[in-house]
Amino acid sequence: MPAAKRVSIGDGLVRTTFAATPAMPSYLIALVAGELERTEGVVDGTRIGIVTTEGKRASAAFALAAARELLHDFNGYFGTPYPLPKLDHIALPGGFSGAMENWGAIIYNEAALLVAPGGSEQSKQRVYGTVAHETAHQWFGNLVTMAWWDDLWLNEAFATWMATRASDRAHPQWRMWLDAALRRDEAMALDARPTAHPIHQPIQKESEAESAFDDITYEKGAGFLRMLEDHLGEAAFRDGIRAYLLRHRGSNTTAADLWAALGAASGRPVAGIASAWIEAPGFPLLSVDARCEAGQRIVGLRQSAFRAEPASADASAPAAASVTPSAAPGLLWRVPVRIGTAGGAGGESILLEGTSMEVTSRAGCDDPLLIDPGNVGYFRVRYAPPLFEALLARWPTLPDSARLKLGADSAALLQSGQQPLASHLALMAREIADARVKAARGMQVPKEVAGVHPHLLLMMENSERAASAAADGDNERVDLRLLLEHLERHRALARDHGRVVERMHDGQAALGRQRQAGDARVFEGIAFEHHLGAEAARVLDLYRRSEARHHDRRLQAHALRVVRDGLR
């Protein structure tokens, strides 16, 4: 709180009396002392300060502008103004990483708050997101606090979602929802494992709370809120949040209180929708098919639990059903699903409540079917082959959100043994040929291409020659290189599954050497016995050695035929 009175008591000493601190959780109290400088402004009657150690005031300008902008935005969104007379953002030079949302005195590692004059756009994006996250906690966590640590996600997931929303509104050029989708996909990779825990997990004592600070709490929680807001509608969701804060300000809550407020505002059974998403680990796979009747598209949806690992062929192997509900026959999610088309038509939101359902889409049959066009769903989608191929044919015109989801889902399905390798390679070939991807060669990835498949962008450092070959129509070489690069990209996962046959390093000595035009085509990869067979692995090894030494076209052609046979 601000100083209420200062009185000189002699010998150069001053007694400072601060205004009374409101009732708050004890973990939110902070006291900071030192040789500090303060830069401040005022917004909506609240004093906003950026506090730094001496000599760093010049690096506080961006943070101050962000803090003022965010407080005003949040005052409007929440409908309950920030309740304290001041809000300080304090940059400390060390001692911890990240930030802590102490009420009225948020503490940051200075690297998370300060941006030097002329600082990069990436630094500004990082600082803006961190300030947004901690400012959101002033309402979700501070004004209204979870009753116990098992509902920690109420604080962290909401602040994560709110920070992305605010960053996207203020700086749409950063395309923060695409970045959030990448983080959500990382959480989904964890959530699909047999060892995953639910968002709401038992915490018996305070010392166990630290275990809840992970991607499931933050990113799955935020991903669910994003999906729920899309289903309920932005206005109804906001009104529910406002009612929740107004009713429970200065007190403790559980998730049930939030669901009740959102349900009352939307008229939807929010508690029933949320139950499986919050109380159980895992998420669904939606299998999608469609047919046209009298000019109308009938969409068939079927849900099943998505599992990261293929079912074991060994009957004696321990079943994942013993450790994860993802295999439990009775587990069903109530899944909000938006149905659209590649041309942007439709977009109606439905709720899949059982194992399967059929829906008549208003969009008709003219454009390819597209499930979850905004990439807001916390689920994987597996299209029937004709639907998948139709979307690939429209790849250059799909929105970035849809292309990102198609790529991520295809990779996850391949890894789990539920997608043919040939189908995923067809998608990757589209990505390689895409002009937006070509712009990302050499790993210099501008923000405007952030919607492309992240796995491909990570591989672009070693695939410039493959992209050039694609442009020249050298399809055979592109196919093989795509295969090798894909296998290399997933080597860690393959090792975990015990499916690695060999790793090939031939030709490494040629790296970096100047050679004749068309030479220096040196690369490495992994051969999967599961997909290619031992003969294909042997021929690929010979291919590399011949590539590095003599470029034997006959052997290369033979290797390509073997690979293609293996894919069939």
Side-chain angles (χ1 to χ4, degrees), residues 172-192:
Q173 75 278 11
W174 290 346
R175 312 188 76 186
M176 294 303 297
W177 287 119
L178 294 178
D179 285 355
L182 296 180
R183 297 194 304 270
R184 182 202 62 206
D185 283 339
E186 292 173 359
M188 293 175 77
L190 299 174
D191 201 21

Side-chain angles (χ1 to χ4, degrees), residues 262-335:
L262 291 172
S266 66
R268 305 284 185 90
V270 175
I273 294 172
S275 178
W277 297 99
I278 304 303
E279 301 297 338
F283 56 89
L285 166 66
L286 301 187
S287 298
V288 182
D289 207 343
R291 66 184 188 277
C292 282
E293 295 180 356
Q296 291 187 312
R297 174 177 281 139
I298 311 299
V299 180
L301 302 171
R302 177 177 294 275
Q303 68 161 297
S304 58
F306 180 83
R307 297 173 61 184
E309 299 182 6
S312 174
D314 182 0
S316 65
S322 63
V323 291
T324 175
S326 65
L331 181 64
L332 290 174
W333 291 265
R334 293 185 177 184
V335 189

Side-chain angles (χ1 to χ4, degrees), residues 283-522:
F283 56 89
L285 166 66
L286 301 187
S287 298
V288 182
D289 207 343
R291 66 184 188 277
C292 282
E293 295 180 356
Q296 291 187 312
R297 174 177 281 139
I298 311 299
V299 180
L301 302 171
R302 177 177 294 275
Q303 68 161 297
S304 58
F306 180 83
R307 297 173 61 184
E309 299 182 6
S312 174
D314 182 0
S316 65
S322 63
V323 291
T324 175
S326 65
L331 181 64
L332 290 174
W333 291 265
R334 293 185 177 184
V335 189
V337 183
R338 190 165 291 277
I339 301 174
T341 68
E348 65 260 38
S349 180
I350 58 97
L351 188 66
L352 173 60
E353 299 191 73
T355 302
S356 62
M357 68 182 301
E358 286 193 341
V359 181
T360 300
S361 173
R362 297 195 300 264
C365 296
D366 293 337
D367 282 322
L369 175 66
L370 183 60
I371 299 298
D372 190 24
N375 195 4
V376 303
Y378 194 86
F379 48 75
R380 298 294 184 199
V381 177
R382 178 177 60 198
Y383 292 95
L387 302 179
F388 184 77
E389 292 163 7
L391 288 172
L392 292 190
R394 293 287 294 274
W395 181 265
T397 64
L398 294 178
D400 286 344
S401 56
R403 298 188 318 126
L404 184 61
K405 182 168 184 62
L406 274 172
D409 286 352
S410 179
L413 289 166
L414 175 69
Q415 293 167 7
S416 66
Q418 300 181 75
Q419 172 103 316
L421 180 58
S423 296
H424 188 60
L425 289 177
L427 183 148
M428 293 183 69
R430 296 284 181 178
E431 292 176 325
I432 281 285
D434 194 301
R436 288 169 288 186
V437 176
K438 290 181 182 179
R441 293 181 200 169
M443 297 301 291
Q444 301 302 314
V445 184
K447 201 66 185 177
E448 53 267 24
V449 303
V452 300
H453 187 205
H455 291 179
L456 182 73
L457 293 181
L458 291 174
M459 292 191 295
M460 286 305 297
E461 185 175 24
N462 295 318
S463 63
E464 183 171 353
R465 286 185 297 276
S468 298
D472 295 338
D474 189 352
N475 294 325
E476 289 191 353
R477 182 168 298 282
V478 171
D479 285 349
L480 186 56
R481 288 184 187 279
L482 283 171
L483 170 66
L484 300 176
E485 289 169 354
H486 176 79
L487 297 180
E488 171 67 11
R489 175 68 184 88
H490 296 290
R491 63 187 181 277
L493 180 71
R495 189 178 300 113
D496 290 342
H497 289 176
R499 293 182 295 170
V500 174
V501 179
E502 61 179 308
R503 183 175 181 178
M504 306 160 189
H505 296 279
D506 297 301
Q508 288 297 308
L511 280 174
R513 291 211 305 261
Q514 185 67 30
R515 308 187 68 171
Q516 295 179 355
D519 286 359
R521 291 183 290 268
V522 180

Side-chain angles (χ1 to χ4, degrees), residues 78-142:
F78 292 126
T80 298
Y82 175 76
L84 304 184
K86 65 97 175 173
L87 176 55
D88 285 337
H89 301 262
I90 305 168
L92 301 182
F96 73 106
S97 60
M100 177 61 200
E101 66 268 19
N102 311 291
W103 211 4
I106 305 172
I107 297 176
Y108 302 77
N109 183 292
E110 64 179 24
L113 183 64
L114 304 183
V115 179
S120 69
E121 196 73 3
Q122 184 179 16
S123 296
K124 294 177 180 179
Q125 178 180 327
R126 183 182 66 253
V127 167
Y128 198 97
T130 304
V131 174
H133 183 104
E134 303 307 325
T135 303
H137 274 314
Q138 305 304 298
W139 284 265
F140 251 80
N142 298 6

